[in-house]
Amino acid sequence: MKLVFATNNLNKLAEVQKMLPKTIELLSLKDINCFEEIPETATTLEGNAKIKANHISENYQYNCFADDTGLEVNALNGNPGVYSARYAGEPVNIENNISKLLNELKTTDNRKAHFKTSICLNLNGSQFLFDGICKGEILHSKQGEKGFGYDPIFKPDGSKLSFAEMSSEEKNKISHRGLAITKLITFLSKLS
Ligand code: IMP
């Protein structure tokens, strides 16, 4: 079965393809000649995942899934959350996002936070949602060079390392996306 993963992030694509049964061939947006930007206008992660998945199934007639991820910080009432990518405004810049977040937390000792990933799967006319949460804390400064996004300032509970100090295999075992993808894969594996 061909299945579109509504992403242009080749790292994410490779990460997921490795975890899928061989009967499922993963296609990227580029593979289906989808080059337009899909507006992420929802106020929840689930909502954005649905918008992206629906855009593909309605306009390209493929089975597909889409994900959306946010970093929810307790002391900031769950922000940046669904706005994680553009936290410090446009153009998207992760260094500015990280600086803004560290600055916002200067006056509090509560550094608890979690990443959340929502996945929406559109399969043969039905819709299924999966999520994954990884709890941890925001570090005082960046640690590590690996990973992407907020990884250098996030340390998952039970680990001495930040996400940016882990190999992708170590991170995937415990990460929000890894957990959500595992639920998706368990579901897909039962079908094939
Ligand atoms: P997206 O949903 O993958 O587009 O991610 C939204 C925002 O969260 C972007 O700023 C990403 O850099 C960040 N992000 C997503 N996943 C992760 C992750 O696993 N680690 C760190 N940052 C992430």
Side-chain angles (χ1 to χ4, degrees):
M1 172 179 66
K2 287 186 195 299
L3 183 64
V4 174
F5 182 3
T7 184
N8 284 315
N9 182 329
L10 294 183
N11 290 324
K12 279 197 206 171
L13 198 82
E15 196 175 288
V16 176
Q17 179 72 74
K18 265 195 235 165
M19 296 168 80
L20 281 173
K22 293 209 166 51
T23 47
I24 296 174
E25 183 192 344
L26 216 52
L27 303 175
S28 69
L29 291 176
K30 190 168 158 251
D31 291 331
I32 61 165
N33 291 322
C34 172
F35 298 107
E36 68 272 18
E37 192 165 334
I38 307 171
E40 296 182 28
T41 50
T43 54
T44 60
L45 298 168
E46 293 82 1
N48 277 339
K50 276 187 197 177
I51 289 177
K52 287 187 267 184
N54 290 346
H55 181 92
I56 301 306
S57 30
E58 283 161 19
N59 296 291
Y60 294 84
Q61 288 79 42
Y62 274 100
N63 285 324
C64 69
F65 68 92
D67 74 332
D68 200 30
T69 295
L71 176 60
E72 302 185 337
V73 180
N74 292 19
L76 302 177
N77 300 318
N79 280 318
V82 70
Y83 307 108
S84 294
R86 289 164 181 77
Y87 189 39
E90 305 265 9
V92 170
N93 180 307
I94 191 59
E95 293 308 322
N96 292 348
N97 289 343
I98 288 178
S99 301
K100 178 171 177 182
L101 184 58
L102 292 181
N103 206 35
E104 302 270 358
L105 291 180
K106 259 190 184 154
T107 53
T108 173
D109 290 333
N110 180 3
R111 307 198 66 93
K112 282 187 195 304
H114 57 265
F115 275 108
K116 180 175 173 193
T117 293
S118 291
I119 291 179
C120 175
L121 169 69
N122 284 355
L123 186 71
N124 305 329
S126 295
Q127 189 159 74
F128 307 89
L129 292 170
F130 307 89
D131 67 12
I133 287 177
C134 180
K135 290 186 179 180
E137 64 184 68
I138 305 297
L139 297 167
H140 288 271
S141 57
K142 294 202 287 175
Q143 273 180 219
E145 307 289 329
K146 299 180 195 138
F148 67 99
Y150 295 90
D151 279 350
I153 57 162
F154 185 81
K155 187 186 80 60
D157 287 346
S159 169
K160 289 202 175 95
L161 304 178
S162 78
F163 266 165
E165 294 173 304
M166 296 179 182
S167 65
S168 60
E169 285 79 10
E170 280 175 304
K171 180 185 165 189
N172 289 342
K173 267 187 222 157
I174 57 169
S175 82
H176 42 292
R177 190 174 309 96
L179 297 174
I181 292 283
T182 300
K183 289 183 192 171
L184 170 75
I185 286 166
T186 305
F187 178 85
L188 290 170
S189 304
K190 282 186 191 147
L191 302 176
S192 51

